[in-house]
Amino acid sequence: MATKYSILSLARNALNHHKSWPQAWRSPEPKTEYDAVVIGGGGHGLVTAYFLAKEHGYTNIAVLEKGWLGGGNTGRNTTIVRSNYLWNESAALYEHSLKLWEEMSEEVNFNVMFSQRGVLNTAHTQNELRMTLRRVNSNRLNGIDSEFLTPEQVKEWVPIIDTRQNGRYPLLGASLQRRAGVARHDAVAWGFARAADARGVDIIQQCPVTGFDIKDGALQGVYTEKGYIKTKKAGIVVAGHAGVLANMAGFKLPIHSRPLQALVSEPVKPCIHTVVMGGGVHAYISQSDKGELVIGAGADPYNGYNQWGSNPITEETVAAICELYPIFKRMRMLRQWGGVVDTCPDASPIMGLSPVKGIYLNVGWGTGGFKATPGSGHTFADTMANDRPHPINAPFSLDRFKTGHLIDEHGAAGVAH
Ligand code: FAD
Ligand code: PYC
């Protein structure tokens, strides 16, 4: 029940436009020298800085962000969190993350609204069905909760989905991970920003990194629009701009940057309590707490840095949603946007050392890195602190593109890749 005090304080804050609210994090000017800097103030960068401070004793570090916190893919994604990937290496990484999601709100003392409402991956062709069964079995062998649902069981779980077998996309079955779900994306950025700031991390926004100072193959500092910063360690955590930063440092990455888009409908009463992803039909859907349908698609097929995407993808996605959920045919869409995703040839990320001593890579998450935010930051902080791969991120090193030890997760990344 609202007390007299809380009503008065609500009224005071409304009238003074929240001016008396304390800042959630400081906005310091950059120092001339840091022990380490993290380039990119998305979820992965902020979590990295948080764990560098919390677990590795770093007291003089900064996050350098070109724009505003969470303004990249962290604030543009559709927030699906799951760990049902095919290969052992990925299972270890994404499951480590999922466990951290389960305690994240407590860890940062900020409600990230992690809702374990289950994620279904539907199969609409014989090949998809075989791949789904294979992935369910592989998940279970890795100790990850995963089950196969028949079309009848899918209908029970999601009554509004069309399971008739004579439609355009006959439904043959689905995998279900019950511990998977969605979260509030910007709360993740804000929660970790506040928690990192409380541990002394300088978070510097509007501070693009424009170059690296490298001598004899080792990092000496970074150039930014706010001046030169001396440092021996820098983590590149810039998602779609990974290739641009690598270019500044004088090496190339096997990454394509492409637009990936999403859209939301007008808000309606609760009608879909879970997340459904259809890889083969290139469309997925969930419902936000505000009631909007959150809909996503496959990535645009061309390279680019625009944050909106092209119309044909939107049209095809909405057509697939109408086909599978006839109940939504008359819904109106409210807004649409895009993000720049950094895709690797095997649909797995690159984490670890780079060709330059002191520069570390945490990139290539493509269409699926939101779910990995805590696990990626946690293991990457360890890599930056100790100058060697963490056992969980070791298989994701850059040199796998030379050794051939690729981790092909196109099936699990599916819907968006
Ligand atoms: P970002 O949040 O993009 O942060 C990188 C930051 O680096 C940016 O803020 C950028 O401004 C900054 N930067 C760039 N260049 C510089 C520079 N020169 N100097 C300083 N800073 C710089 N993943 C899932 O797991 N589930 C999903 O449901 C999902 N849906 C998605 C839907 C869409 C439409 C999109 C676009 C992506 C989706 N993803 C999803 C992928 C996910 O959003 C990303 O993999 C993840 O958010 C990447 O986080 P990040 O912190 O690495 O990158
Ligand atoms: O990785 O789960 C995912 C995802 C869903 C939509 C985009 N990426």
Side-chain angles (χ1 to χ4, degrees):
M1 196 199 291
T3 62
K4 195 167 126 195
Y5 173 77
S6 63
I7 290 168
L8 280 175
S9 115
L10 267 176
R12 197 171 47 247
N13 280 322
L15 290 174
N16 76 7
H17 302 286
H18 302 159
K19 279 190 190 123
S20 60
W21 282 21
Q23 294 278 308
W25 54 85
R26 299 162 298 125
S27 296
E29 284 304 308
K31 295 183 197 161
T32 52
E33 182 168 1
Y34 286 103
D35 296 335
V37 299
V38 177
I39 307 170
H44 290 238
L46 291 163
V47 177
T48 303
Y50 171 77
F51 281 115
L52 274 170
K54 181 183 174 194
E55 292 192 352
H56 303 283
Y58 275 74
T59 53
N60 182 36
I61 57 175
V63 174
L64 307 177
E65 164 54 45
K66 176 171 80 168
W68 67 96
L69 296 189
N73 293 344
T74 295
R76 293 167 181 275
N77 76 88
T78 45
T79 83
I80 297 174
V81 173
R82 58 192 170 87
S83 64
N84 56 353
Y85 280 67
L86 179 67
W87 298 105
N88 298 350
E89 295 86 345
S90 319
L93 173 62
Y94 292 103
E95 183 59 18
H96 178 55
S97 244
L98 183 47
K99 290 197 173 117
L100 292 174
W101 274 105
E102 289 173 329
E103 55 200 44
M104 188 188 289
S105 292
E106 279 174 29
E107 174 75 36
V108 293
N109 189 23
F110 200 97
N111 187 359
V112 299
M113 295 166 75
F114 182 41
S115 158
Q116 292 177 288
R117 59 183 67 181
V119 172
L120 275 180
N121 291 84
T122 54
H124 301 273
T125 63
Q126 287 298 332
N127 184 48
E128 270 194 291
L129 183 62
R130 272 194 301 275
M131 295 307 289
T132 303
L133 286 164
R134 182 182 181 212
R135 201 141 52 81
V136 167
N137 289 332
S138 144
N139 292 160
R140 292 165 83 124
L141 285 171
N142 274 314
I144 290 169
D145 71 301
S146 189
E147 53 199 275
F148 179 75
L149 301 191
T150 62
E152 295 71 35
Q153 289 169 317
V154 172
K155 188 77 184 168
E156 228 172 278
W157 185 254
V158 190
I160 60 172
I161 198 168
D162 186 357
T163 50
R164 283 172 303 161
Q165 295 303 300
N166 57 357
R168 184 166 172 199
Y169 302 119
L171 188 103
L172 306 182
S175 68
L176 170 63
Q177 184 176 23
R178 290 179 194 263
R179 284 167 60 240
V182 288
R184 172 87 196 267
H185 46 16
D186 33 29
V188 175
W190 300 334
F192 273 100
R194 193 178 69 157
D197 175 85
R199 289 180 179 274
V201 176
D202 282 358
I203 296 171
I204 301 163
Q205 301 182 71
Q206 307 294 331
C207 184
V209 168
T210 53
F212 293 97
D213 177 15
I214 298 165
K215 281 205 184 69
D216 301 326
L219 182 70
Q220 311 297 317
V222 296
Y223 299 98
T224 81
E225 284 192 7
K226 294 194 175 188
Y228 178 77
I229 297 172
K230 202 170 159 191
T231 187
K232 296 274 189 210
K233 282 181 195 254
I236 298 183
V237 199
V238 295
H241 288 80
V244 178
L245 272 284
N247 195 37
M248 290 176 194
F251 57 89
K252 283 196 187 306
L253 294 174
I255 281 183
H256 287 260
S257 289
R258 292 153 63 189
L260 176 69
Q261 49 181 300
L263 61 159
V264 294
S265 73
E266 58 190 341
V268 287
K269 286 188 177 162
C271 54
I272 180 159
H273 76 289
T274 192
V275 182
V276 189
M277 305 173 64
V281 302
H282 264 192
Y284 61 91
I285 190 161
S286 67
Q287 189 170 19
S288 77
D289 294 339
K290 281 190 281 184
E292 298 165 346
L293 300 177
V294 181
I295 296 171
D300 279 64
Y302 54 87
N303 292 344
Y305 291 95
N306 78 58
Q307 290 176 312
W308 51 91
S310 59
N311 287 340
I313 296 273
T314 320
E315 284 177 21
E316 283 163 24
T317 307
V318 171
I321 291 292
C322 292
E323 196 71 35
L324 282 174
Y325 310 90
I327 188 179
F328 294 143
K329 274 191 177 151
R330 296 174 68 190
M331 293 277 295
R332 281 170 296 198
M333 294 301 130
L334 204 60
R335 58 182 191 277
Q336 176 271 4
W337 67 91
V340 188
V341 294
D342 42 340
T343 54
C344 281
D346 58 356
S348 286
I350 299 171
M351 282 206 283
L353 312 185
S354 83
V356 176
K357 181 158 178 48
I359 295 185
Y360 305 88
L361 298 168
N362 183 344
V363 293
W365 291 97
T367 63
F370 181 68
K371 65 179 75 63
T373 304
S376 141
H378 183 240
T379 61
F380 188 58
D382 180 88
T383 295
M384 281 187 70
N386 297 304
D387 198 32
R388 50 118 183 90
H390 180 282
I392 289 182
N393 68 32
F396 296 91
S397 66
L398 179 59
D399 71 4
R400 76 178 186 274
F401 296 99
K402 280 193 189 140
T403 63
H405 289 124
L406 302 184
I407 305 167
D408 190 339
E409 287 291 0
H410 278 99
V415 67
H417 256 73

